């Protein structure tokens, strides 16, 4: 039997990840730290503010899902933070897609390379809480980013009983973390349940240094960061850490 890996991603982002882990021979268990909700629009006219938009900017696959809940147009150019987000956009029917293959800073660089600030507004469907501020990164270069909150990411307040048992009894070999907020939520639950000592039996695999920073207060057996902020790079870090 393969080693057991705990996935902390939201269910909306986990289908491909679980399949990849299974192919690698891992036993997979899940404890989503965030639940994604796509609420109805509350701006009064039930339509998105898309006037003068030149391109769509997606910083997550859930941003794509949220946008397509409210708009059927697929003719805008799309700039996506990474390959998974770009793949979700392609599956949704978009054709003109460019992927930054990294994080929000890579996306800002891609935008500055591909689009003129004078071309029009960049529309960014996002959650209420995000890992970075794309508009601020681009403002100094003359870009106007219209960010609209289209989905919510709610933090969980408990571990599933089976996961709690696996953590306490050292039945989990590694935990995967894809975002700073996911890591923060996990730490809060560990502290709430007073099981910080159990982390000494596990390896934390982080998508980025920012994620690692949120986990530094726990005494892990090992903590590793992906070389690139992509799912494939994180999975490589996992293979190297617990093979």
């Amino acid at each position: 039997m393969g080693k057991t890996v705990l996935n902390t991603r939201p269910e909306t982002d986990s289908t491909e990840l679980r399949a990849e882990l299974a192919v690698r021979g891992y036993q997979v268990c899940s404890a989503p730290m965030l639940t994604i909700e796509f609420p109805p629009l509350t701006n009064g006219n039930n339509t998105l503010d898309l006037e003068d938009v030149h391109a769509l900017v997606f910083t997550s696959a859930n941003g794509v899902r949220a946008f397509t809940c409210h708009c059927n147009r697929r003719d805008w150019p799309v700039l996506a933070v990474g390959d998974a987000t770009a793949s979700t956009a392609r599956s949704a029917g978009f054709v003109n897609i460019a992927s930054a293959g990294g994080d929000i800073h890579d996306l800002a660089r891609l935008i500055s390379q591909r689009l003129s600030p004078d071309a029009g507004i960049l529309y960014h469907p996002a959650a209420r809480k995000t890992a970075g501020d794309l508009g601020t990164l681009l403002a100094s270069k003359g870009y106007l980013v219209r960010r609209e909150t289209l989905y919510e990411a709610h933090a969980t307040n408990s571990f599933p009983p089976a996961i709690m048992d696996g953590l306490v009894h050292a039945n989990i070999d590694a935990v995967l973390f894809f975002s700073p907020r996911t890591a923060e939520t996990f730490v809060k639950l560990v502290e709430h349940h007073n099981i910080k000592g159990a982390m000494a039996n596990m390896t934390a695999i982080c998508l980025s240094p920012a994620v690692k920073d949120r986990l530094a207060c726990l005494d892990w057996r090992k903590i590793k960061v992906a070389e690139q902020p992509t799912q494939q790079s994180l999975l490589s870090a996992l293979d190297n850490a617990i093979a």
Side-chain angles (χ1 to χ4, degrees), residues 73 119 147:
R73 283 186 58 180
R147 173 176 158 179

Side-chain angles (χ1 to χ4, degrees), residues 113-159:
Q113 293 166 1
R114 294 292 185 94
L115 300 176
S116 166
D118 300 324
I121 292 170
L122 304 178
Y123 182 81
H124 177 205
R128 192 170 304 278
K129 295 182 179 180
T130 61
D133 188 344
L134 185 64
T136 299
L137 288 175
L138 291 170
S140 63
K141 299 179 180 179
Y143 292 92
L144 180 60
V145 178
R146 180 182 297 154
R147 173 176 158 179
E148 192 164 9
T149 299
L150 295 189
Y151 69 97
E152 301 279 0
H154 302 289
T156 189
N157 57 15
S158 64
F159 287 119

Side-chain angles (χ1 to χ4, degrees), residues 14-15 26 64 66-67 92 100 124-125 133 135 151 156 162 174 197 209 214 232 243:
S14 291
T15 301
Y26 295 110
V64 179
F67 180 86
H124 177 205
D133 188 344
Y151 69 97
T156 189
R214 304 307 197 280
Q232 287 303 315

Side-chain angles (χ1 to χ4, degrees), residues 5-11 13-14 17-18 21 28-35 156 159 163 167 172 174-179 181-187 189 205 211 215 220 234:
V5 174
L6 174 59
N7 167 37
T8 62
R9 294 195 94 178
E11 282 296 326
D13 296 318
S14 291
L17 175 62
R18 281 194 294 262
L21 289 167
V28 185
C29 55
S30 295
M33 294 291 100
L34 302 174
T35 300
T156 189
F159 287 119
I163 300 303
L167 293 170
I172 294 171
V175 188
L176 308 184
F177 295 100
F178 283 80
S179 74
R181 191 170 176 215
T182 293
E184 288 173 357
T185 303
F186 185 90
V187 169
L189 292 181
I205 310 295
V211 177
L215 298 168
W220 299 90
L234 182 141

Side-chain angles (χ1 to χ4, degrees), residues 226-237:
E227 291 186 1
Q228 300 292 328
T230 66
Q231 179 171 293
Q232 287 303 315
S233 184
L234 182 141
L235 291 174
S236 294

Side-chain angles (χ1 to χ4, degrees), residues 71-117:
C71 182
N72 293 324
R73 283 186 58 180
R74 302 291 185 268
D75 55 324
W76 280 291
V78 167
L79 296 102
V81 68
D83 295 344
T85 301
S87 177
T88 301
R90 191 170 295 107
S91 297
F94 292 99
V95 176
N96 184 0
I97 303 168
S99 170
D103 59 16
I104 193 170
H105 299 281
D106 297 307
L107 179 56
R109 281 191 289 271
L110 177 68
I111 290 169
S112 64
Q113 293 166 1
R114 294 292 185 94
L115 300 176
S116 166

